[in-house]
């Protein structure tokens, strides 16, 4: 009877030691998680851009190229697999532009013909900014 108890105790001790080792490994993994590389896209489609910028419906971005990165200037876009796409650098710059600053952004992109509707929207946004300041 004593031998059976001793064997059971030894078995429990061995199981506890295994669990402690496994927990120590888990603890190490939690303390120092592996750095997984984050790869950003090189090019973004209209759908990607609309999702990141928000503020308007996807269909609005699709029908008004002036609202897209580069303000519709073809030198700021490419076609990949037949779909219009924009380089990451231009998209990141475009994401920071508000309506109030959109006319300056369009000029930076080399766009000279600005739709009247967007001139009014930009002026309205500037007036709101001036009132808020």
């Amino acid at each position: 009877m004593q031998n059976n108890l001793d064997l059971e105790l030894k078995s429990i001790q061995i199981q506890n030691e295994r669990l402690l080792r496994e927990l120590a490994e888990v603890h190490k993994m939690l303390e120092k998680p592996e750095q997984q590389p984050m790869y950003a896209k090189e090019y973004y489609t209209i759908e990607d851009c609309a999702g990141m910028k928000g503020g308007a419906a996807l269909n609005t971005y699709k029908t008004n190229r002036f609202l897209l990165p580069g303000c519709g200037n073809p030198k700021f876009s490419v076609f990949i697999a037949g779909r219009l796409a924009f380089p990451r650098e231009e998209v990141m710059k475009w994401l920071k532009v508000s309506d109030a600053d959109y006319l300056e952004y369009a000029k930076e992109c080399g766009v000279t013909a600005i739709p009247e509707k967007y001139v009014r929207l930009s002026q309205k946004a500037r007036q709101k900014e001036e009132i808020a300041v």
Side-chain angles (χ1 to χ4, degrees), residues 1-106:
M1 186 84 142
Q2 183 67 26
N3 283 343
N4 284 343
L5 286 175
D6 287 341
L7 286 174
E8 286 181 30
L9 278 175
K10 288 237 183 230
S11 174
I12 291 171
Q13 286 176 334
I14 291 171
Q15 289 175 352
N16 282 342
E17 289 174 9
R18 267 192 222 141
L19 286 172
L20 281 172
R21 272 187 254 131
E22 289 175 11
L23 281 175
E25 289 177 29
V26 169
H27 185 69
K28 285 179 189 176
M29 288 170 38
L30 289 174
E31 282 182 341
K32 196 169 32 170
E34 291 183 27
Q35 295 290 336
Q36 294 184 2
M38 299 280 290
Y39 296 107
K41 293 181 177 182
E42 288 296 318
Y43 292 93
Y44 294 88
T45 63
I46 294 173
E47 290 82 3
D48 296 332
C49 294
M52 290 187 296
K53 182 98 171 193
L58 173 60
N59 199 40
T60 302
Y61 287 110
K62 284 184 172 182
T63 57
N64 299 303
R65 287 193 67 172
F66 181 73
L67 294 176
L68 295 173
C71 294
N73 189 336
K75 79 176 192 177
F76 294 103
S77 62
V78 296
F79 282 91
I80 298 175
R83 296 184 73 197
L84 188 63
F86 306 92
R88 178 180 47 229
E89 296 80 25
E90 192 59 35
V91 171
M92 294 306 135
K93 190 185 323 179
W94 171 77
L95 285 172
K96 297 174 186 171
V97 178
S98 69
D99 280 357
D101 303 323
Y102 213 78
L103 297 179
E104 285 80 29
Y105 174 68

